[in-house]
Amino acid sequence: MVMNTWVGLLNGYQNADIRAQVTGYLTTQDYKEGSLLKKGDVLFTIDKRPFEAALAQAQADYAKAVSAAQLAQITLD
């Protein structure tokens, strides 16, 4: 019996590039390799803590601006 070993790369019929829309650390991969995917399927879950911190900072900045406006109105009156 004659055997040969070849090194190669299999490429699927339809491949898609996956590009992140936001940056962050991946916490889970929510699909199985080789499975069929539809538009809108969740592929990965990223760490939400940086986004929650940014939201809290924006809410704090907003509250500070509202307080400053109220103080300015009281001072004007």
Side-chain angles (χ1 to χ4, degrees):
M1 175 187 274
V2 177
M3 293 183 65
N4 286 323
T5 302
W6 300 92
V7 177
L9 175 65
L10 296 177
N11 207 357
Y13 176 69
Q14 291 182 345
N15 286 328
D17 292 330
I18 299 174
R19 294 188 193 111
Q21 294 179 349
V22 295
T23 59
Y25 291 103
L26 298 178
T27 56
T28 62
Q29 177 180 337
D30 300 319
Y31 70 95
K32 286 186 176 182
E33 292 286 336
S35 63
L36 294 177
L37 299 171
K38 295 179 286 240
K39 182 178 181 178
D41 285 350
V42 175
L43 302 179
F44 300 98
T45 303
I46 61 173
D47 186 6
K48 63 183 178 179
R49 291 176 295 180
F51 303 103
E52 289 173 339
L55 175 61
Q57 181 65 49
Q59 289 171 333
D61 292 343
Y62 175 74
K64 183 178 177 183
V66 168
S67 297
Q70 289 173 346
L71 179 59
Q73 185 63 45
I74 291 170
T75 303
L76 178 64
D77 291 342

